[in-house]
């Protein structure tokens, strides 16, 4: 049993490769690799420790039965570096004994020796205890097979302790020691200890339970004689845990319970995993009490085990004594299940793996007694077990999503074939919208219909259904209680609203109906109807209570989904109201965009186009960290702030600096229960007169630039931390945007992939975008089409694609380097008049000349030269006067006695908009006028 250091070194290297995401080629048992995968899938890390779940209850039958057994084990390991741990059926430590005091300190350091700590696989990783609970059999974990680093110096073996009557695992006995000291003796001690605890648990049972056990032993003695099948000897006493997986055992127990319930002699073959076939033999037992014994026969041979998972060799030597109680008797549906260790046999059977191979070559079979029970009790227990299994299955499969329709479908799918032949689920239309029905009327919308009846004579999914007041369905909804019609042919009130449809239903052999109202927390949701056809027995009274329990479970899930639908719709409506409702009219860019909200909830993504002076356009894409209404509201605040900051004509780096200060202030204002973390933003300004774009980003992904030939690059926009951290500078860069190029701005939802690095995903985005000749709309469609079907799962996807349309030189007129001489004003007025005549805008000549005259005169009088005048013909007629002074003009109300101060007032009255923007060399005063004729 002991393993050498070389094997553990191989396991250690395999473990390192696994944790690093590499393939595990060899040297790791399949059950260990499966356990590692489960641990990694739930986010466990090798540095984890055990988890304390609170003080356990030590006044239980298991603890009392185990006390003398643990005392014997403590004496056996005294003076050694060994530990004995007893846990409950969930892996929580109940008792911990050590052979040396130093081991206690080691366990305290590792965090797992005291009662209340959990060794369950979901919190403690791969350990012998967690593996024994997961595999439902004795398990061994050695050295680096442990998932947690703290336990890699130990070798451990754990044996489940079964409750003798119910068969469920109620505890685990675990023995651990240093790897160099690990021998098969530890496993033998653990098995004997578990058996002794089970015998003591059995001693606490009732007289009737003891009588059934004696029948079990009596039958065991009767089947000791060797038998032959197809001329091949059947070997008695095969350990069940060596030959069966956990799922195989559950299948056999289910079939055995059915044989016991039948009360007849029978033999059936049961397919199992790995292509194996087991034979179950049912024999009446009448010596002690009326009952049925079920034996199981499986072929011997290692090739029968599933690929990649051969069991650890354990002793197959049967006992030669016949005690009053077996080692680990269990029950299945009220039937006794035989011990997984050897049943009495007349001769010993070799144990080593070599002997198993020899038996396999001879074509032998293993046989042991699986279960004993009384037929009457077995039938009731089998029915009860099936009901419990259906309820357990429904709790597992119903409510896996927060989608109302899908939850209704899950209810129908779980029940069909297990309880009813056809299931329909009808919900009020308001429930589908996430609202509460104002009045519980009789108008519903059928959202799920599942069944195996040929022809399916029911209304289609999505049809609205109205029930007559006298119908069974309407009465069920009115009373709020389940209703049953065991014989639909005899009573036709159930079909009062649709006699023709009811006749079709009866023609398909449907004969029994149960209707149950769907309601949760006092809110009516709809109704579920269960039908049975001629291939099933009519419903009984017990079925009504089972249907009510199934529907009650589904109702809570549907109501949770309804509430989520309402909250999600509210948050989504808020977010959409805060996003641009339409793009501004402008000629500088051809624009396409997409916004896809996340499936799991709204986020804080936003985009914007903001018209600026001089025909320029600001481009904005941002993302607030977090989800929900809070993130959407914060996004609205930031979008408004960016819009306001942009009106001050700030450069991208200056705007992000102001926005960073705002986010930091917002973070300080947030409460501790709902902290605000930060946001990312990419801000750019495109100037169609120069065909250049200025960009700066804060924690955001860089934009993609598609050239005319389809080449995709990611411009080097200097990265800066996300907004809200403060103290970090932002930097603006300028890139050229030819008219045949496209600029793509996006949020991280477009490229988010937790399984791959960002470089790989960006390269895929490059390939998706790299096609020449596309319009921005086609580029948007291609980028969205390339998303996996699951996206957007957890984050919004925001995409903004623009194609620049530079202002033609014929639409611009510029007069530069003008001297500070008032005489130049008349010259500019004349030149502007001629230009407007060339543009066929003579109607605007007088107003434009007057505006330019006032602006240029003020500049000459109050600023410094040289001066520059520019006229732009775009959607508006734009006039600009530039100087080298930073003095800003102010509009004021002139007094009656003032000789000046009315120029800007006159300009404000003549222009639709006017303002000032600052440049590195001074400022520009600009005005916008409507084009003549609209």
């Amino acid at each position: 049993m002991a393993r050498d250091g070389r094997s553990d070194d191989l396991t250690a290297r395999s473990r390192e490769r696994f944790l690093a995401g590499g393939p595990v080629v060899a040297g790791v048992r399949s059950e260990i690799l499966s356990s590692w995968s489960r641990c990694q899938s739930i986010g466990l890390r090798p540095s984890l420790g055990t988890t304390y779940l609170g003080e356990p209850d030590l006044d239980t039958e298991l603890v009392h039965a185990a006390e003398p057994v643990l005392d014997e084990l403590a004496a056996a390991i005294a003076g050694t570096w060994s530990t004995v741990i007893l846990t409950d059926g969930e892996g929580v430590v109940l008792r911990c004994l050590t052979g040396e005091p130093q081991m206690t300190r080691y366990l305290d350091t590792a965090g797992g020796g005291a009662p209340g700590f959990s060794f369950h696989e979901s919190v403690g990783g791969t350990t012998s205890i967690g593996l024994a609970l997961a595999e439902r059999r004795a398990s061994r974990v050695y050295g680096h097979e442990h998932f947690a680093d703290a336990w890699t110096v130990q070798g451990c073996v754990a044996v489940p302790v079964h409750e003798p009557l119910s068969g469920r695992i109620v505890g685990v006995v675990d023995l651990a020691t240093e790897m160099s000291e690990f021998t098969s003796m530890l496993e033998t001690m653990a098995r004997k200890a578990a058996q002794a605890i089970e015998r003591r648990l059995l001693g606490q049972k009732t007289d009737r339970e003891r009588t059934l056990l004696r029948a079990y032993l009596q039958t065991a003695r009767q089947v000791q004689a060797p038998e032959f099948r197809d001329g091949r000897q059947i070997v008695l006493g095969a350990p069940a845990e060596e030959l069966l997986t956990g799922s195989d055992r559950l299948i056999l127990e289910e079939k055995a319970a059915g044989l016991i319930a039948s009360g007849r002699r029978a033999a059936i073959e049961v397919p199992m995993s790995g292509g194996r076939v087991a034979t179950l033999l049912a024999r009446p037992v009448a010596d002690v009490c009326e009952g049925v014994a079920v034996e199981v026969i499986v072929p011997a041979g290692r090739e029968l085990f599933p690929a990649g998972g051969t069991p650890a060799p354990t002793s197959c030597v049967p006992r030669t004594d016949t005690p009053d109680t077996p080692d680990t008797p269990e029950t299945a549906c009220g039937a006794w299940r035989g011990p997984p260790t050897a049943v009495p046999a007349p001769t010993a059977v070799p144990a080593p793996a070599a002997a198993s191979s020899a038996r396999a070559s001879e074509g032998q079979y293993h046989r042991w007694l699986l279960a004993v029970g009384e037929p009457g009790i077995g039938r009731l227990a089998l029915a009860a077990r099936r009901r419990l299994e259906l309820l357990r299955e429904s709790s597992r499969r119903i409510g896996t999503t927060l989608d109302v329709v899908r939850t209704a479908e899950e209810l129908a799918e779980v029940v069909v074939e297990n309880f009813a032949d056809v299931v329909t689920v009808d919900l009020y239309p308001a429930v589908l919208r996430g609202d509460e029905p104002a009045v519980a009327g009789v108008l519903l919308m059928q959202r799920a219909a599942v069944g195996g009846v040929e022809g399916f004579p029911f209304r289609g999914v999505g049809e609205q259904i109205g029930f007559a007041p006298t119908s069974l369905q309407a009465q069920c909804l009115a009373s709020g209680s389940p209703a049953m019609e065991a014989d639909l042919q005899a009573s036709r009130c159930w079909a009062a609203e649709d006699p023709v449809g009811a006749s079709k239903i009866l023609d398909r052999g449907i004969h029994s109906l149960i209707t149950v109202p769907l309601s949760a927390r006092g809110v009516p949701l709809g109704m579920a109807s269960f039908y049975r056809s001629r291939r099933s027995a009519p419903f009984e009274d017990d079925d009504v209570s089972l249907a009510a329990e199934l529907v009650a479970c589904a109702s809570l899930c549907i109501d949770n989904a309804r509430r989520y639908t309402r909250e999600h719709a509210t948050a989504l409506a808020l977010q959409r109201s805060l996003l641009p409702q339409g793009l501004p009219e402008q000629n500088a860019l051809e624009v396409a965009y997409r916004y896809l909200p996340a499936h799991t909830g709204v986020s804080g993504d936003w985009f914007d186009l903001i018209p600026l002076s001089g025909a320029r356009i600001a481009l904005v894409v941002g993302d607030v960290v977090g989800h929900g209404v809070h993130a959407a509201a914060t996004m609205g605040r930031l979008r408004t702030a960016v819009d306001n900051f942009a009106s001050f004509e700030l450069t991208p780096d200056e705007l992000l600096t102001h926005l960073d200060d705002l986010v930091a202030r917002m973070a300080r204002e947030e409460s501790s229960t709902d902290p605000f973390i930060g946001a990312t933003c990419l801000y750019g300004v495109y100037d169609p007169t120069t065909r250049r774009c200025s960009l700066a980003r804060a924690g955001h992904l860089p934009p993609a630039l598609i050239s005319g030939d389809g080449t995709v690059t990611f411009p080097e926009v200097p990265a800066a931390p996300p907004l809200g951290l403060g103290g970090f500078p932002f930097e603006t860069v300028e890139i050229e945007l030819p008219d045949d190029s496209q600029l793509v701005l996006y949020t991280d939802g477009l490229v988010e992939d937790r399984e791959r690095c960002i470089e790989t995903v960006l390269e895929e985005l490059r390939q998706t975008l790299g096609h020449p000749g596309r319009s921005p709309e086609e580029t948007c469609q291609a980028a969205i089409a390339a998303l996996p079907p699951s996206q957007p799962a957890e984050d919004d996807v925001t995409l903004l694609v623009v194609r620049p349309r530079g202002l033609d030189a014929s639409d611009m007129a510029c007069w530069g380097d003008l001297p500070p001489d008032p005489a130049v004003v008349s010259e500019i007025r004349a030149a502007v008049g001629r230009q407007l005549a060339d543009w066929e805008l003579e109607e605007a000549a007088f107003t434009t000349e007057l505006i330019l005259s006032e602006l240029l005169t003020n500049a000459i009088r109050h600023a410094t030269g040289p001066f520059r005048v520019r006229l732009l013909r775009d959607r508006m007629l734009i006039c600009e006067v530039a100087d080298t002074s930073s003095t800003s003009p102010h509009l004021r109300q002139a007094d009656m006695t003032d000789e000046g101060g009315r120029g800007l007032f006159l300009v404000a009255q003549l222009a639709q908009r006017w303002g000032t923007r600052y440049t590195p060399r001074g400022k520009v005063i600009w005005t916008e006028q409507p084009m003549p004729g609209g």
Side-chain angles (χ1 to χ4, degrees):
M1 185 69 69
R3 293 175 42 165
D4 57 19
R6 183 179 304 173
S7 299
D8 190 57
D9 290 342
L10 178 59
T11 304
R13 291 194 295 270
S14 298
R15 178 173 174 267
E16 291 178 359
R17 285 196 297 271
F18 175 84
L19 296 175
V24 179
V25 180
V28 180
R29 291 179 287 149
S30 61
E31 57 266 34
I32 297 295
L33 186 57
S34 298
S35 178
W36 287 354
S37 299
R38 291 193 296 269
C39 295
Q40 192 177 62
S41 67
I42 61 178
L44 298 183
R45 295 292 181 265
S47 59
L48 60 86
T50 51
T51 302
Y52 183 71
L53 301 181
E55 193 68 23
D57 183 10
L58 300 181
D59 187 18
T60 63
E61 292 182 353
L62 174 64
V63 174
H64 294 316
E67 283 179 352
V69 180
L70 296 180
D71 292 341
E72 293 180 7
L73 286 176
I77 66 172
T80 67
W81 286 81
S82 303
T83 61
V84 177
I85 293 178
L86 174 71
T87 75
D88 62 12
E90 299 296 329
V92 178
V93 176
L94 301 176
R95 291 282 304 276
C96 179
L97 306 172
T98 59
E100 287 286 349
Q102 293 88 336
M103 283 299 298
T104 303
R105 291 194 291 270
Y106 165 71
L107 291 175
D108 291 341
T109 302
F117 282 90
S118 176
F119 278 93
H120 195 277
E121 186 181 78
S122 62
V123 294
T126 305
T127 62
S128 55
I129 296 173
L131 195 61
L133 293 174
E135 297 287 330
R136 301 182 61 83
R137 64 177 180 177
S139 298
R140 171 175 49 86
V141 178
Y142 183 86
H144 283 86
E145 290 180 338
H146 290 88
F147 189 81
D149 296 330
W151 310 115
T152 55
V153 298
Q154 290 188 330
C156 312
V157 61
V159 180
V161 177
H162 298 83
E163 205 282 330
L165 300 181
S166 68
R168 63 188 179 89
I169 295 177
V170 295
V172 177
V173 176
D174 178 81
L175 273 72
T177 187
E178 291 181 313
M179 292 186 295
S180 60
E181 301 296 330
F182 190 86
T183 64
S184 59
M185 181 60 67
L186 280 182
E187 184 166 347
T188 303
M189 293 171 60
R191 288 183 181 275
K192 289 184 176 181
Q195 295 165 9
I197 295 173
E198 290 170 350
R199 286 195 295 269
R200 291 181 58 82
L201 287 172
L202 186 62
Q204 305 170 9
K205 303 306 174 183
T206 65
D207 292 339
R208 181 169 180 79
E209 293 163 347
R210 292 177 182 273
T211 301
L212 190 56
L213 177 60
R214 284 195 294 271
Y216 172 91
L217 296 174
Q218 181 73 19
T219 306
R221 296 189 187 98
Q222 294 174 359
V223 298
Q224 286 181 17
E227 295 184 8
F228 292 84
R229 181 180 180 186
D230 299 331
R232 300 173 181 177
Q233 183 179 359
I234 298 177
V235 181
L236 295 176
E241 70 266 25
E242 289 191 23
L243 300 176
L244 302 178
T245 64
S247 59
D248 288 340
R249 183 176 301 179
L250 292 176
I251 294 173
L252 293 180
E253 289 175 357
E254 175 72 18
K255 298 297 183 181
L259 292 174
I260 292 173
S262 68
R264 301 190 304 271
R265 181 185 298 270
I268 62 173
E269 290 188 344
V270 181
M272 298 187 302
S273 61
R276 298 175 294 171
V277 176
T279 302
L280 294 182
L281 301 177
R283 302 182 180 185
V285 177
D287 293 339
V288 181
C289 65
E290 294 293 335
V292 175
V294 180
E295 306 161 38
V296 59
I297 300 175
V298 298
R302 182 167 297 187
E303 72 278 1
L304 300 174
F305 292 106
T310 58
T314 58
S315 177
C316 296
V317 180
R319 297 202 322 265
T320 56
D321 61 329
T322 308
D324 291 337
T325 57
D327 292 335
T328 56
E330 298 177 318
T331 65
C333 284
W336 287 90
R337 209 202 72 182
T341 55
V343 298
T347 58
V349 180
S356 298
S357 299
R359 289 197 304 270
S361 63
E362 296 172 5
Q364 295 180 341
Y365 292 81
H366 292 292
R367 188 190 73 195
W368 67 92
L369 191 63
L370 179 65
V372 173
E374 297 177 78
I377 298 177
R379 280 190 291 271
L380 295 176
L382 183 60
R385 176 175 178 176
R386 286 173 177 169
R387 287 188 174 95
L388 289 174
E389 288 182 347
L390 180 57
L391 290 173
R392 181 182 62 185
E393 184 73 2
S394 65
S395 65
R396 184 180 68 85
R397 292 177 54 187
I398 299 176
T400 59
T401 68
L402 288 173
D403 182 83
V404 174
V405 175
R406 180 56 193 153
T407 305
E409 293 173 348
E410 289 170 345
L411 168 61
E413 292 169 357
V414 168
V415 175
V416 166
E417 303 298 339
N418 295 314
F419 179 70
D421 297 313
V422 178
V423 181
T424 62
V425 181
D426 306 308
L427 302 175
Y428 292 108
V431 174
L432 302 176
R433 299 190 300 268
D435 301 327
E436 295 183 6
V439 178
V442 294
L443 186 62
L444 301 97
M445 179 175 288
Q446 184 172 309
R447 293 312 307 173
V450 179
V453 177
E454 184 178 356
F456 211 82
F458 295 90
R459 298 190 182 184
V461 173
E463 293 187 22
Q464 288 193 340
I465 304 172
F467 296 114
T470 58
S471 66
L472 181 70
Q473 293 88 342
Q475 296 174 12
C476 170
L477 291 173
S479 64
S481 302
M484 180 181 71
E485 282 289 357
D487 189 353
L488 296 179
Q489 188 70 46
S491 176
R492 302 300 296 270
C493 69
W494 62 278
E497 83 287 347
D498 187 8
V500 176
S503 299
K504 295 180 180 179
I505 291 175
L506 293 177
D507 292 342
R508 298 299 191 279
I510 293 176
H511 56 74
S512 193
L513 165 66
I514 292 178
T515 60
V516 184
L518 284 159
S519 65
R521 305 177 181 95
V523 178
L525 304 172
M527 181 180 62
S529 301
F530 307 93
Y531 298 86
R532 281 186 178 175
S533 64
R534 60 172 64 95
R535 62 186 182 185
S536 303
F539 285 118
E540 300 176 351
D541 291 339
D542 290 344
D543 295 322
V544 177
S545 60
L546 176 59
E549 291 188 52
L550 290 169
V551 171
C553 172
S555 296
L556 287 175
C557 297
I558 291 176
D559 191 53
N560 289 338
R562 178 191 66 83
R563 291 168 177 261
Y564 172 79
T565 300
R566 180 181 59 191
E567 294 176 1
H568 181 71
T570 301
L572 190 59
L574 171 64
Q575 186 186 35
R576 289 193 180 278
S577 68
L578 297 174
L579 289 172
Q581 303 303 304
L583 297 179
E585 295 182 355
Q586 47 83 33
N587 291 339
L589 298 170
E590 181 184 350
V591 183
Y593 64 92
R594 292 292 188 277
Y595 169 73
L596 303 180
H599 299 324
T600 57
V602 298
S603 298
D605 290 19
W606 89 92
F607 68 95
D608 216 341
L609 259 71
I610 306 172
L612 302 177
S613 64
R616 296 172 306 139
I617 295 292
L619 309 171
V620 190
V621 170
D623 185 4
V624 175
V625 176
H627 297 80
V629 176
H630 179 74
T634 304
M635 175 271 291
R637 296 174 65 183
L638 294 185
R639 178 174 176 248
T640 302
V642 172
D643 199 352
N644 290 333
F645 290 150
S647 66
F648 291 106
E649 305 282 356
L650 301 175
T651 61
D653 57 313
E654 291 175 335
L655 184 141
L656 290 182
T657 300
H658 287 287
L659 197 62
D660 182 51
D661 294 338
L662 174 63
V663 172
R665 185 166 64 253
M666 292 168 60
R668 291 192 295 269
E669 294 173 354
E670 295 293 337
S671 64
S672 58
T673 57
D674 194 9
F676 174 71
I677 300 176
T680 67
C681 184
L682 174 63
Y683 182 82
V685 176
Y686 171 69
D687 189 343
T689 64
T690 62
R691 290 176 171 78
R692 300 188 66 81
C693 184
S694 303
L695 294 166
R697 61 185 177 118
H700 208 87
L701 292 169
L705 179 60
I706 309 173
S707 63
D709 60 0
T711 303
V712 179
T713 59
F714 295 94
E716 292 292 336
V717 181
L723 300 170
L725 298 181
F728 296 93
F730 302 98
E731 186 175 348
T732 299
V733 297
E734 280 194 358
I735 60 174
E736 185 175 356
L737 294 184
D739 287 353
D740 59 351
S741 65
Q742 295 184 44
L743 189 65
V744 182
L745 289 74
Y746 52 91
T747 57
D748 57 359
L750 183 69
V751 294
E752 189 173 38
D753 192 331
R754 296 183 178 180
E755 299 180 357
R756 297 181 297 171
C757 64
I758 186 63
E759 289 79 9
T760 301
V761 182
L762 288 178
E763 181 59 33
E764 291 184 358
L765 179 63
R766 184 199 305 271
Q767 297 175 5
T768 301
L769 301 178
H771 293 271
R774 283 177 176 169
S775 66
E777 181 64 27
E778 292 170 340
T779 300
C780 267
Q781 293 176 357
I784 297 301
L787 289 173
S790 59
Q791 282 188 270
E794 298 180 358
D795 201 2
D796 296 358
V797 172
T798 303
L799 179 64
L800 181 64
V801 181
V802 298
R803 171 183 287 166
R805 294 185 297 202
L807 200 60
D808 192 84
S810 61
D811 293 322
M812 296 184 290
C814 185
W815 297 270
D817 295 331
L818 301 178
D821 184 357
V824 77
V825 175
S826 60
E827 298 176 5
I828 293 298
R829 291 182 60 173
V832 167
R834 291 191 296 271
Q835 183 63 58
L836 293 177
D838 292 342
W839 287 344
E840 299 181 355
L841 298 176
E842 292 88 348
E843 296 180 22
F846 177 76
T847 303
T848 305
E849 292 175 7
L850 185 57
I851 289 174
L852 282 176
S853 177
E854 291 294 336
L855 294 181
L856 186 56
T857 300
N858 283 343
I860 294 173
R861 180 176 298 177
H862 302 290
T864 59
F867 306 100
R868 181 171 59 88
V869 175
R870 188 169 68 166
L871 204 61
L872 303 178
R873 182 178 61 174
D874 193 48
R875 301 184 67 87
M876 306 286 286
L877 183 59
I878 302 171
C879 303
E880 296 180 344
V881 175
D883 57 52
T884 58
S885 172
S886 60
T887 303
S888 177
H890 297 284
L891 182 65
R892 66 185 181 88
Q893 185 72 40
D895 293 334
M896 295 293 294
T897 58
D898 289 344
E899 296 183 359
R902 297 177 179 83
L904 285 181
F905 181 80
L906 181 62
V907 169
Q909 297 301 311
L910 296 176
Q912 182 170 310
R913 287 200 316 150
W914 75 281
T916 304
R917 71 170 181 270
Y918 292 93
T919 66
R921 293 184 296 274
K923 68 177 183 295
V924 175
I925 304 176
W926 55 269
T927 65
E928 291 181 357
Q929 305 164 240
M931 297 289 286

